[in-house]
Amino acid sequence: MTPAWWSDAVVYEIYVRSFADSDGDGVGDLPGIRSRLGYLRELGVDAIWLTPFYPSPGADHGYDVADYTDVDALFGTLEDFDALVGDAHELGLRVVIDVVPNHTSSEHEWFRNALSDPSHPDRGRYMFRPGRDGGPPNGWTSAFGGSAWELDERSGEYYLHMFAPDQPDLDWHNETVQRDFEQVLRFWLDRGVDGFRIDVAQALFKDQSLAEMQEPDPPTWHADWVTAVNQPELHPLYRRWRRLADDYPGERMFVGEIMLDDQEAVAEYVRPDELQLAFNFALLWDEWDATAIRVTIDRTRTAMGAVGAVPTWVLENHDVMRVATRYGGREQGRRHARAAALLFLALPGTAFLYQGQELGLEEVDLPDELRQDPLFVRTGGERKGRDGCRIPIPWTRAGQHFGFTTGEPWLPMPDDWGLESVEAQSEDSASTLELYRSALARRPGGDFEWLESPPGTLVFRRDDVVCLVNVDAPNLDLPEGDVIVASESVTDRLSAGAAAWVRPRTL
Ligand code: NOJ
């Protein structure tokens, strides 16, 4: 049996607001994406994942959905969506969309009904609870800072929001919520989508006892400590979703955003009859350190292998600092990011590539007054937020806003952004874009095996290709053979911070 398309795919994440703007309003949109599909085909990815494009007040830039079965006018129309899917399929690109089931927008009709009348049936879709000792029902905190409870002054009850107050959490113990979401999935499956990325997939059901949680100090990135979520009820739900999608022709896929560090806990969601994939965020938390990276690769492969699931690899997404900046920025960070590209694209499984990663873009440091992320606003600036990795893509070397928009971009683009543009990098065979193009065209497959190598290096084999990464050793000798791709020009050895794929003369 041929493996399913998603089992070794490269999925390109499109942050819709920042990819390509077709109508000059400064915000990326669906027709803009459609006009750039040729670029993605040529880059060599297999699928695109679109961040939310649904009607939304934009309190969390689309992750606050006011209508799950339509397109926000800012991004286009349902017809634009259909045309985009049609063109993508014609080019052989699959289309994955974001589904945001943990919370709605406070502007969603269900929530407006819930607020307008405490006896309205829609009230039961949300987590309204009485307060305690003159304050919120418990001490749960929001991922965006402050209490996770907001007072509904009219009724005197509080409602739960694990993110911003404009993102009230749904109560997944409510059967109407469960039923309605199946309709949402069907709506998009009927329109031909190839899969869903499930937002905050581990958090839909909450511990109904509202038991307090011990928060780590200092806080960690991942949410393993959030004992109120990751509840057992999720598994039967995802089994139902899986059956629903499997009833459709083609191989429709789910990838869960499961923000847990413990790969064994993540693996429970990708057992054979549950979700096909779960993001593996472990590489986002690793420093440029050979031992740490090797441990991550082994833990992931072991945990996923134990349930027969495909591992996934993520170096960037729209929520984290760009990888070149995480690895120290400038010349060195960029070199490490290029080497990491060859590492992650050679690992067995599915790779998720975030727009601009293929250009080696760095995090942009914005002045505070221009920051838009609710994370920045709600933590009073204590956390800078995620705007710096969401700057619009530079397409052209020069010209108005580097080909992104003819209007004013929703986040400002640095003056020298044109140097990083697709156009500039396409003319330079040593660019990061050209490195990605070469690597994507030559991605190795087959069995994985670690090969012996000196400390500070990572060397493994995929069939007849050896991937060598010199993380921080003085030098790493290359085997004799053909260099397929290298992160920089190499002779017979890799210096620290470089990587290569080699087909050795003898294995
Ligand atoms: C995860 C999304 O990736 C992030 O951008 C969003 O803010 C939260 N979920 C809440 O929906």
Side-chain angles (χ1 to χ4, degrees), residues 288 315 335-347 435-436 438-440 443-444 460 467-469 483-488 494 498-502:
W288 184 243
L315 282 177
R335 283 186 66 233
H336 292 174
R338 289 166 61 99
L342 292 193
L343 168 73
F344 108 118
L345 290 175
L347 291 170
L435 172 69
Y436 265 92
S438 311
L440 286 165
R443 229 177 136 220
F460 56 85
C467 171
L468 301 104
V469 186
V483 175
I484 303 168
V485 195
S487 65
E488 53 197 46
L494 291 176
W501 296 349
V502 178

PDB file of all heavy atoms in Angstrom, residues 288 315 335-347 435-436 438-440 443-444 460 467-469 483-488 494 498-502:
ATOM      1  N   TRP A 288      20.682  25.226  20.166  1.00  0.00           N
ATOM      2  CA  TRP A 288      21.551  24.641  19.131  1.00  0.00           C
ATOM      3  C   TRP A 288      22.585  23.770  19.851  1.00  0.00           C
ATOM      4  O   TRP A 288      23.697  24.189  20.152  1.00  0.00           O
ATOM      5  CB  TRP A 288      22.194  25.759  18.308  1.00  0.00           C
ATOM      6  CG  TRP A 288      23.034  25.287  17.163  1.00  0.00           C
ATOM      7  CD1 TRP A 288      24.367  25.471  17.000  1.00  0.00           C
ATOM      8  CD2 TRP A 288      22.583  24.562  16.016  1.00  0.00           C
ATOM      9  NE1 TRP A 288      24.782  24.900  15.819  1.00  0.00           N
ATOM     10  CE2 TRP A 288      23.704  24.333  15.192  1.00  0.00           C
ATOM     11  CE3 TRP A 288      21.344  24.071  15.597  1.00  0.00           C
ATOM     12  CZ2 TRP A 288      23.634  23.647  13.986  1.00  0.00           C
ATOM     13  CZ3 TRP A 288      21.265  23.385  14.400  1.00  0.00           C
ATOM     14  CH2 TRP A 288      22.397  23.180  13.609  1.00  0.00           C
ATOM     15  N   LEU A 315      10.238  23.753  13.064  1.00  0.00           N
ATOM     16  CA  LEU A 315      11.283  24.682  13.525  1.00  0.00           C
ATOM     17  C   LEU A 315      10.721  26.076  13.754  1.00  0.00           C
ATOM     18  O   LEU A 315      11.317  26.885  14.459  1.00  0.00           O
ATOM     19  CB  LEU A 315      12.407  24.786  12.492  1.00  0.00           C
ATOM     20  CG  LEU A 315      13.427  23.651  12.429  1.00  0.00           C
ATOM     21  CD1 LEU A 315      14.403  23.904  11.286  1.00  0.00           C
ATOM     22  CD2 LEU A 315      14.188  23.523  13.738  1.00  0.00           C
ATOM     23  N   ARG A 335      23.405  30.883   9.843  1.00  0.00           N
ATOM     24  CA  ARG A 335      24.116  29.654   9.453  1.00  0.00           C
ATOM     25  C   ARG A 335      23.495  28.455  10.154  1.00  0.00           C
ATOM     26  O   ARG A 335      23.245  27.424   9.550  1.00  0.00           O
ATOM     27  CB  ARG A 335      25.594  29.755   9.834  1.00  0.00           C
ATOM     28  CG  ARG A 335      26.406  30.610   8.903  1.00  0.00           C
ATOM     29  CD  ARG A 335      27.889  30.530   9.262  1.00  0.00           C
ATOM     30  NE  ARG A 335      28.429  29.202   9.041  1.00  0.00           N
ATOM     31  CZ  ARG A 335      29.084  28.500   9.962  1.00  0.00           C
ATOM     32  NH1 ARG A 335      29.268  28.978  11.177  1.00  0.00           N
ATOM     33  NH2 ARG A 335      29.559  27.306   9.668  1.00  0.00           N
ATOM     34  N   HIS A 336      23.242  28.610  11.450  1.00  0.00           N
ATOM     35  CA  HIS A 336      22.667  27.485  12.193  1.00  0.00           C
ATOM     36  C   HIS A 336      21.272  27.144  11.664  1.00  0.00           C
ATOM     37  O   HIS A 336      20.900  25.967  11.575  1.00  0.00           O
ATOM     38  CB  HIS A 336      22.610  27.811  13.689  1.00  0.00           C
ATOM     39  CG  HIS A 336      23.966  27.907  14.315  1.00  0.00           C
ATOM     40  ND1 HIS A 336      24.165  28.304  15.606  1.00  0.00           N
ATOM     41  CD2 HIS A 336      25.202  27.651  13.805  1.00  0.00           C
ATOM     42  CE1 HIS A 336      25.468  28.290  15.877  1.00  0.00           C
ATOM     43  NE2 HIS A 336      26.111  27.904  14.793  1.00  0.00           N
ATOM     44  N   ALA A 337      20.519  28.159  11.321  1.00  0.00           N
ATOM     45  CA  ALA A 337      19.169  27.908  10.795  1.00  0.00           C
ATOM     46  C   ALA A 337      19.243  27.142   9.468  1.00  0.00           C
ATOM     47  O   ALA A 337      18.409  26.274   9.194  1.00  0.00           O
ATOM     48  CB  ALA A 337      18.419  29.220  10.619  1.00  0.00           C
ATOM     49  N   ARG A 338      20.226  27.456   8.665  1.00  0.00           N
ATOM     50  CA  ARG A 338      20.376  26.732   7.384  1.00  0.00           C
ATOM     51  C   ARG A 338      20.755  25.275   7.641  1.00  0.00           C
ATOM     52  O   ARG A 338      20.241  24.357   7.006  1.00  0.00           O
ATOM     53  CB  ARG A 338      21.448  27.406   6.522  1.00  0.00           C
ATOM     54  CG  ARG A 338      21.023  28.753   5.964  1.00  0.00           C
ATOM     55  CD  ARG A 338      22.222  29.524   5.427  1.00  0.00           C
ATOM     56  NE  ARG A 338      22.873  28.813   4.348  1.00  0.00           N
ATOM     57  CZ  ARG A 338      22.678  29.074   3.050  1.00  0.00           C
ATOM     58  NH1 ARG A 338      21.864  30.042   2.690  1.00  0.00           N
ATOM     59  NH2 ARG A 338      23.289  28.376   2.127  1.00  0.00           N
ATOM     60  N   ALA A 339      21.650  25.075   8.602  1.00  0.00           N
ATOM     61  CA  ALA A 339      22.032  23.694   8.925  1.00  0.00           C
ATOM     62  C   ALA A 339      20.823  22.951   9.497  1.00  0.00           C
ATOM     63  O   ALA A 339      20.579  21.783   9.163  1.00  0.00           O
ATOM     64  CB  ALA A 339      23.192  23.701   9.922  1.00  0.00           C
ATOM     65  N   ALA A 340      20.054  23.643  10.343  1.00  0.00           N
ATOM     66  CA  ALA A 340      18.872  23.013  10.944  1.00  0.00           C
ATOM     67  C   ALA A 340      17.860  22.635   9.863  1.00  0.00           C
ATOM     68  O   ALA A 340      17.141  21.639   9.987  1.00  0.00           O
ATOM     69  CB  ALA A 340      18.242  23.956  11.962  1.00  0.00           C
ATOM     70  N   ALA A 341      17.812  23.421   8.792  1.00  0.00           N
ATOM     71  CA  ALA A 341      16.882  23.107   7.697  1.00  0.00           C
ATOM     72  C   ALA A 341      17.223  21.732   7.114  1.00  0.00           C
ATOM     73  O   ALA A 341      16.343  20.902   6.879  1.00  0.00           O
ATOM     74  CB  ALA A 341      16.955  24.176   6.621  1.00  0.00           C
ATOM     75  N   LEU A 342      18.519  21.504   6.902  1.00  0.00           N
ATOM     76  CA  LEU A 342      18.908  20.207   6.343  1.00  0.00           C
ATOM     77  C   LEU A 342      18.666  19.087   7.337  1.00  0.00           C
ATOM     78  O   LEU A 342      18.336  17.967   6.955  1.00  0.00           O
ATOM     79  CB  LEU A 342      20.372  20.225   5.905  1.00  0.00           C
ATOM     80  CG  LEU A 342      20.690  21.114   4.709  1.00  0.00           C
ATOM     81  CD1 LEU A 342      22.081  20.811   4.170  1.00  0.00           C
ATOM     82  CD2 LEU A 342      19.665  20.939   3.587  1.00  0.00           C
ATOM     83  N   LEU A 343      18.810  19.402   8.619  1.00  0.00           N
ATOM     84  CA  LEU A 343      18.529  18.383   9.633  1.00  0.00           C
ATOM     85  C   LEU A 343      17.044  18.027   9.603  1.00  0.00           C
ATOM     86  O   LEU A 343      16.664  16.867   9.456  1.00  0.00           O
ATOM     87  CB  LEU A 343      18.926  18.917  11.022  1.00  0.00           C
ATOM     88  CG  LEU A 343      18.440  18.095  12.205  1.00  0.00           C
ATOM     89  CD1 LEU A 343      19.234  16.792  12.306  1.00  0.00           C
ATOM     90  CD2 LEU A 343      18.581  18.865  13.520  1.00  0.00           C
ATOM     91  N   PHE A 344      16.186  19.027   9.695  1.00  0.00           N
ATOM     92  CA  PHE A 344      14.764  18.705   9.889  1.00  0.00           C
ATOM     93  C   PHE A 344      14.119  18.144   8.631  1.00  0.00           C
ATOM     94  O   PHE A 344      13.213  17.322   8.702  1.00  0.00           O
ATOM     95  CB  PHE A 344      14.026  19.873  10.578  1.00  0.00           C
ATOM     96  CG  PHE A 344      13.058  20.699   9.768  1.00  0.00           C
ATOM     97  CD1 PHE A 344      11.714  20.734  10.110  1.00  0.00           C
ATOM     98  CD2 PHE A 344      13.486  21.472   8.720  1.00  0.00           C
ATOM     99  CE1 PHE A 344      10.807  21.499   9.402  1.00  0.00           C
ATOM    100  CE2 PHE A 344      12.600  22.254   7.999  1.00  0.00           C
ATOM    101  CZ  PHE A 344      11.252  22.265   8.339  1.00  0.00           C
ATOM    102  N   LEU A 345      14.655  18.542   7.459  1.00  0.00           N
ATOM    103  CA  LEU A 345      14.078  17.989   6.229  1.00  0.00           C
ATOM    104  C   LEU A 345      14.576  16.570   5.938  1.00  0.00           C
ATOM    105  O   LEU A 345      14.025  15.887   5.081  1.00  0.00           O
ATOM    106  CB  LEU A 345      14.383  18.906   5.044  1.00  0.00           C
ATOM    107  CG  LEU A 345      13.631  20.242   5.051  1.00  0.00           C
ATOM    108  CD1 LEU A 345      14.095  21.126   3.900  1.00  0.00           C
ATOM    109  CD2 LEU A 345      12.107  20.043   4.971  1.00  0.00           C
ATOM    110  N   ALA A 346      15.600  16.131   6.673  1.00  0.00           N
ATOM    111  CA  ALA A 346      16.097  14.768   6.446  1.00  0.00           C
ATOM    112  C   ALA A 346      15.495  13.772   7.430  1.00  0.00           C
ATOM    113  O   ALA A 346      15.670  12.569   7.266  1.00  0.00           O
ATOM    114  CB  ALA A 346      17.614  14.746   6.562  1.00  0.00           C
ATOM    115  N   LEU A 347      14.796  14.257   8.440  1.00  0.00           N
ATOM    116  CA  LEU A 347      14.243  13.338   9.437  1.00  0.00           C
ATOM    117  C   LEU A 347      13.018  12.622   8.874  1.00  0.00           C
ATOM    118  O   LEU A 347      12.292  13.189   8.045  1.00  0.00           O
ATOM    119  CB  LEU A 347      13.866  14.125  10.710  1.00  0.00           C
ATOM    120  CG  LEU A 347      15.061  14.675  11.497  1.00  0.00           C
ATOM    121  CD1 LEU A 347      14.597  15.644  12.581  1.00  0.00           C
ATOM    122  CD2 LEU A 347      15.871  13.535  12.109  1.00  0.00           C
ATOM    123  N   LEU A 435      18.721  27.092  -1.070  1.00  0.00           N
ATOM    124  CA  LEU A 435      19.043  25.908  -0.267  1.00  0.00           C
ATOM    125  C   LEU A 435      17.778  25.087  -0.033  1.00  0.00           C
ATOM    126  O   LEU A 435      17.753  23.864  -0.201  1.00  0.00           O
ATOM    127  CB  LEU A 435      19.654  26.341   1.076  1.00  0.00           C
ATOM    128  CG  LEU A 435      19.857  25.217   2.089  1.00  0.00           C
ATOM    129  CD1 LEU A 435      20.959  24.260   1.621  1.00  0.00           C
ATOM    130  CD2 LEU A 435      20.201  25.777   3.477  1.00  0.00           C
ATOM    131  N   TYR A 436      16.692  25.772   0.352  1.00  0.00           N
ATOM    132  CA  TYR A 436      15.425  25.057   0.579  1.00  0.00           C
ATOM    133  C   TYR A 436      14.943  24.399  -0.705  1.00  0.00           C
ATOM    134  O   TYR A 436      14.479  23.258  -0.693  1.00  0.00           O
ATOM    135  CB  TYR A 436      14.362  26.012   1.142  1.00  0.00           C
ATOM    136  CG  TYR A 436      14.294  25.980   2.661  1.00  0.00           C
ATOM    137  CD1 TYR A 436      15.038  26.861   3.429  1.00  0.00           C
ATOM    138  CD2 TYR A 436      13.508  25.044   3.330  1.00  0.00           C
ATOM    139  CE1 TYR A 436      14.997  26.818   4.824  1.00  0.00           C
ATOM    140  CE2 TYR A 436      13.460  24.995   4.719  1.00  0.00           C
ATOM    141  CZ  TYR A 436      14.201  25.889   5.456  1.00  0.00           C
ATOM    142  OH  TYR A 436      14.158  25.836   6.824  1.00  0.00           O
ATOM    143  N   SER A 438      16.658  23.322  -3.232  1.00  0.00           N
ATOM    144  CA  SER A 438      17.460  22.122  -3.533  1.00  0.00           C
ATOM    145  C   SER A 438      17.108  21.004  -2.571  1.00  0.00           C
ATOM    146  O   SER A 438      16.960  19.853  -2.973  1.00  0.00           O
ATOM    147  CB  SER A 438      18.951  22.356  -3.373  1.00  0.00           C
ATOM    148  OG  SER A 438      19.337  23.478  -4.011  1.00  0.00           O
ATOM    149  N   ALA A 439      16.993  21.337  -1.293  1.00  0.00           N
ATOM    150  CA  ALA A 439      16.754  20.294  -0.296  1.00  0.00           C
ATOM    151  C   ALA A 439      15.380  19.666  -0.514  1.00  0.00           C
ATOM    152  O   ALA A 439      15.223  18.439  -0.433  1.00  0.00           O
ATOM    153  CB  ALA A 439      16.876  20.882   1.111  1.00  0.00           C
ATOM    154  N   LEU A 440      14.386  20.498  -0.793  1.00  0.00           N
ATOM    155  CA  LEU A 440      13.038  19.944  -0.975  1.00  0.00           C
ATOM    156  C   LEU A 440      12.975  19.031  -2.201  1.00  0.00           C
ATOM    157  O   LEU A 440      12.210  18.069  -2.226  1.00  0.00           O
ATOM    158  CB  LEU A 440      12.010  21.077  -1.073  1.00  0.00           C
ATOM    159  CG  LEU A 440      11.726  21.755   0.279  1.00  0.00           C
ATOM    160  CD1 LEU A 440      11.002  23.080   0.083  1.00  0.00           C
ATOM    161  CD2 LEU A 440      10.906  20.842   1.182  1.00  0.00           C
ATOM    162  N   ARG A 443      14.882  15.522  -0.928  1.00  0.00           N
ATOM    163  CA  ARG A 443      14.671  15.017   0.435  1.00  0.00           C
ATOM    164  C   ARG A 443      14.863  13.506   0.488  1.00  0.00           C
ATOM    165  O   ARG A 443      14.235  12.778  -0.282  1.00  0.00           O
ATOM    166  CB  ARG A 443      13.223  15.339   0.827  1.00  0.00           C
ATOM    167  CG  ARG A 443      13.120  15.982   2.173  1.00  0.00           C
ATOM    168  CD  ARG A 443      11.693  16.328   2.451  1.00  0.00           C
ATOM    169  NE  ARG A 443      11.379  15.949   3.798  1.00  0.00           N
ATOM    170  CZ  ARG A 443      10.247  15.410   4.179  1.00  0.00           C
ATOM    171  NH1 ARG A 443       9.293  15.160   3.306  1.00  0.00           N
ATOM    172  NH2 ARG A 443      10.065  15.119   5.438  1.00  0.00           N
ATOM    173  N   PRO A 444      15.713  13.034   1.416  1.00  0.00           N
ATOM    174  CA  PRO A 444      15.909  11.584   1.471  1.00  0.00           C
ATOM    175  C   PRO A 444      14.721  10.860   2.094  1.00  0.00           C
ATOM    176  O   PRO A 444      13.937  11.448   2.825  1.00  0.00           O
ATOM    177  CB  PRO A 444      17.153  11.438   2.354  1.00  0.00           C
ATOM    178  CG  PRO A 444      17.211  12.675   3.177  1.00  0.00           C
ATOM    179  CD  PRO A 444      16.519  13.759   2.405  1.00  0.00           C
ATOM    180  N   PHE A 460      23.266  10.785  10.638  1.00  0.00           N
ATOM    181  CA  PHE A 460      22.381   9.633  10.457  1.00  0.00           C
ATOM    182  C   PHE A 460      22.222   9.318   8.981  1.00  0.00           C
ATOM    183  O   PHE A 460      22.559  10.121   8.104  1.00  0.00           O
ATOM    184  CB  PHE A 460      21.022   9.859  11.132  1.00  0.00           C
ATOM    185  CG  PHE A 460      20.289  11.102  10.692  1.00  0.00           C
ATOM    186  CD1 PHE A 460      19.484  11.095   9.548  1.00  0.00           C
ATOM    187  CD2 PHE A 460      20.380  12.278  11.413  1.00  0.00           C
ATOM    188  CE1 PHE A 460      18.789  12.225   9.148  1.00  0.00           C
ATOM    189  CE2 PHE A 460      19.698  13.427  11.023  1.00  0.00           C
ATOM    190  CZ  PHE A 460      18.898  13.400   9.892  1.00  0.00           C
ATOM    191  N   CYS A 467      23.045  12.185   6.396  1.00  0.00           N
ATOM    192  CA  CYS A 467      22.862  13.583   6.787  1.00  0.00           C
ATOM    193  C   CYS A 467      23.865  13.878   7.892  1.00  0.00           C
ATOM    194  O   CYS A 467      23.886  13.187   8.920  1.00  0.00           O
ATOM    195  CB  CYS A 467      21.433  13.809   7.268  1.00  0.00           C
ATOM    196  SG  CYS A 467      21.210  15.438   8.006  1.00  0.00           S
ATOM    197  N   LEU A 468      24.709  14.859   7.678  1.00  0.00           N
ATOM    198  CA  LEU A 468      25.738  15.200   8.678  1.00  0.00           C
ATOM    199  C   LEU A 468      25.512  16.631   9.149  1.00  0.00           C
ATOM    200  O   LEU A 468      25.383  17.546   8.310  1.00  0.00           O
ATOM    201  CB  LEU A 468      27.130  15.111   8.063  1.00  0.00           C
ATOM    202  CG  LEU A 468      27.543  13.752   7.477  1.00  0.00           C
ATOM    203  CD1 LEU A 468      27.464  13.786   5.960  1.00  0.00           C
ATOM    204  CD2 LEU A 468      28.947  13.395   7.927  1.00  0.00           C
ATOM    205  N   VAL A 469      25.450  16.806  10.454  1.00  0.00           N
ATOM    206  CA  VAL A 469      25.289  18.153  10.995  1.00  0.00           C
ATOM    207  C   VAL A 469      26.414  18.375  12.004  1.00  0.00           C
ATOM    208  O   VAL A 469      26.524  17.633  12.981  1.00  0.00           O
ATOM    209  CB  VAL A 469      23.933  18.333  11.717  1.00  0.00           C
ATOM    210  CG1 VAL A 469      23.742  19.782  12.145  1.00  0.00           C
ATOM    211  CG2 VAL A 469      22.783  17.856  10.838  1.00  0.00           C
ATOM    212  N   VAL A 483      28.251  15.110  -2.644  1.00  0.00           N
ATOM    213  CA  VAL A 483      27.508  16.030  -1.770  1.00  0.00           C
ATOM    214  C   VAL A 483      26.220  16.408  -2.513  1.00  0.00           C
ATOM    215  O   VAL A 483      26.268  16.965  -3.609  1.00  0.00           O
ATOM    216  CB  VAL A 483      28.340  17.286  -1.442  1.00  0.00           C
ATOM    217  CG1 VAL A 483      27.507  18.289  -0.645  1.00  0.00           C
ATOM    218  CG2 VAL A 483      29.597  16.904  -0.671  1.00  0.00           C
ATOM    219  N   ILE A 484      25.090  16.058  -1.918  1.00  0.00           N
ATOM    220  CA  ILE A 484      23.801  16.312  -2.584  1.00  0.00           C
ATOM    221  C   ILE A 484      23.363  17.750  -2.340  1.00  0.00           C
ATOM    222  O   ILE A 484      22.981  18.472  -3.254  1.00  0.00           O
ATOM    223  CB  ILE A 484      22.732  15.330  -2.060  1.00  0.00           C
ATOM    224  CG1 ILE A 484      23.202  13.897  -2.271  1.00  0.00           C
ATOM    225  CG2 ILE A 484      21.387  15.565  -2.711  1.00  0.00           C
ATOM    226  CD1 ILE A 484      22.354  12.882  -1.545  1.00  0.00           C
ATOM    227  N   VAL A 485      23.394  18.158  -1.095  1.00  0.00           N
ATOM    228  CA  VAL A 485      23.091  19.545  -0.719  1.00  0.00           C
ATOM    229  C   VAL A 485      23.953  19.867   0.499  1.00  0.00           C
ATOM    230  O   VAL A 485      24.175  19.002   1.350  1.00  0.00           O
ATOM    231  CB  VAL A 485      21.624  19.744  -0.262  1.00  0.00           C
ATOM    232  CG1 VAL A 485      21.262  21.214  -0.233  1.00  0.00           C
ATOM    233  CG2 VAL A 485      20.632  18.996  -1.098  1.00  0.00           C
ATOM    234  N   ALA A 486      24.380  21.109   0.586  1.00  0.00           N
ATOM    235  CA  ALA A 486      25.136  21.528   1.775  1.00  0.00           C
ATOM    236  C   ALA A 486      24.647  22.907   2.196  1.00  0.00           C
ATOM    237  O   ALA A 486      24.222  23.708   1.364  1.00  0.00           O
ATOM    238  CB  ALA A 486      26.623  21.561   1.464  1.00  0.00           C
ATOM    239  N   SER A 487      24.718  23.161   3.490  1.00  0.00           N
ATOM    240  CA  SER A 487      24.179  24.428   3.987  1.00  0.00           C
ATOM    241  C   SER A 487      25.096  25.594   3.642  1.00  0.00           C
ATOM    242  O   SER A 487      24.709  26.752   3.760  1.00  0.00           O
ATOM    243  CB  SER A 487      23.948  24.357   5.503  1.00  0.00           C
ATOM    244  OG  SER A 487      25.181  24.210   6.174  1.00  0.00           O
ATOM    245  N   GLU A 488      26.338  25.302   3.257  1.00  0.00           N
ATOM    246  CA  GLU A 488      27.263  26.323   2.769  1.00  0.00           C
ATOM    247  C   GLU A 488      28.298  25.597   1.924  1.00  0.00           C
ATOM    248  O   GLU A 488      28.302  24.366   1.892  1.00  0.00           O
ATOM    249  CB  GLU A 488      27.917  27.068   3.929  1.00  0.00           C
ATOM    250  CG  GLU A 488      28.578  26.172   4.949  1.00  0.00           C
ATOM    251  CD  GLU A 488      28.858  26.887   6.262  1.00  0.00           C
ATOM    252  OE1 GLU A 488      27.975  27.586   6.774  1.00  0.00           O
ATOM    253  OE2 GLU A 488      29.980  26.737   6.770  1.00  0.00           O
ATOM    254  N   LEU A 494      33.046  19.599   7.369  1.00  0.00           N
ATOM    255  CA  LEU A 494      32.047  20.612   7.750  1.00  0.00           C
ATOM    256  C   LEU A 494      32.579  21.368   8.957  1.00  0.00           C
ATOM    257  O   LEU A 494      32.984  20.753   9.953  1.00  0.00           O
ATOM    258  CB  LEU A 494      30.735  19.943   8.181  1.00  0.00           C
ATOM    259  CG  LEU A 494      29.892  19.225   7.143  1.00  0.00           C
ATOM    260  CD1 LEU A 494      28.692  18.567   7.829  1.00  0.00           C
ATOM    261  CD2 LEU A 494      29.410  20.214   6.079  1.00  0.00           C
ATOM    262  N   ALA A 498      27.536  23.871  10.259  1.00  0.00           N
ATOM    263  CA  ALA A 498      27.216  23.536   8.864  1.00  0.00           C
ATOM    264  C   ALA A 498      26.649  22.119   8.787  1.00  0.00           C
ATOM    265  O   ALA A 498      26.822  21.311   9.694  1.00  0.00           O
ATOM    266  CB  ALA A 498      28.468  23.647   8.001  1.00  0.00           C
ATOM    267  N   ALA A 499      25.946  21.852   7.689  1.00  0.00           N
ATOM    268  CA  ALA A 499      25.346  20.524   7.501  1.00  0.00           C
ATOM    269  C   ALA A 499      25.391  20.160   6.026  1.00  0.00           C
ATOM    270  O   ALA A 499      25.466  21.034   5.155  1.00  0.00           O
ATOM    271  CB  ALA A 499      23.902  20.530   7.986  1.00  0.00           C
ATOM    272  N   ALA A 500      25.329  18.864   5.765  1.00  0.00           N
ATOM    273  CA  ALA A 500      25.312  18.414   4.363  1.00  0.00           C
ATOM    274  C   ALA A 500      24.628  17.061   4.259  1.00  0.00           C
ATOM    275  O   ALA A 500      24.562  16.313   5.237  1.00  0.00           O
ATOM    276  CB  ALA A 500      26.735  18.306   3.829  1.00  0.00           C
ATOM    277  N   TRP A 501      24.093  16.810   3.079  1.00  0.00           N
ATOM    278  CA  TRP A 501      23.596  15.476   2.742  1.00  0.00           C
ATOM    279  C   TRP A 501      24.589  14.905   1.717  1.00  0.00           C
ATOM    280  O   TRP A 501      24.880  15.556   0.712  1.00  0.00           O
ATOM    281  CB  TRP A 501      22.215  15.527   2.092  1.00  0.00           C
ATOM    282  CG  TRP A 501      21.113  16.064   2.976  1.00  0.00           C
ATOM    283  CD1 TRP A 501      21.172  16.294   4.323  1.00  0.00           C
ATOM    284  CD2 TRP A 501      19.804  16.437   2.556  1.00  0.00           C
ATOM    285  NE1 TRP A 501      19.967  16.795   4.768  1.00  0.00           N
ATOM    286  CE2 TRP A 501      19.108  16.884   3.701  1.00  0.00           C
ATOM    287  CE3 TRP A 501      19.142  16.438   1.329  1.00  0.00           C
ATOM    288  CZ2 TRP A 501      17.791  17.340   3.651  1.00  0.00           C
ATOM    289  CZ3 TRP A 501      17.828  16.887   1.274  1.00  0.00           C
ATOM    290  CH2 TRP A 501      17.153  17.330   2.425  1.00  0.00           C
ATOM    291  N   VAL A 502      25.061  13.709   2.016  1.00  0.00           N
ATOM    292  CA  VAL A 502      26.076  13.106   1.152  1.00  0.00           C
ATOM    293  C   VAL A 502      25.635  11.702   0.762  1.00  0.00           C
ATOM    294  O   VAL A 502      25.095  10.961   1.602  1.00  0.00           O
ATOM    295  CB  VAL A 502      27.431  13.026   1.906  1.00  0.00           C
ATOM    296  CG1 VAL A 502      28.494  12.352   1.043  1.00  0.00           C
ATOM    297  CG2 VAL A 502      27.896  14.413   2.330  1.00  0.00           C
TER     298      VAL A 502
END
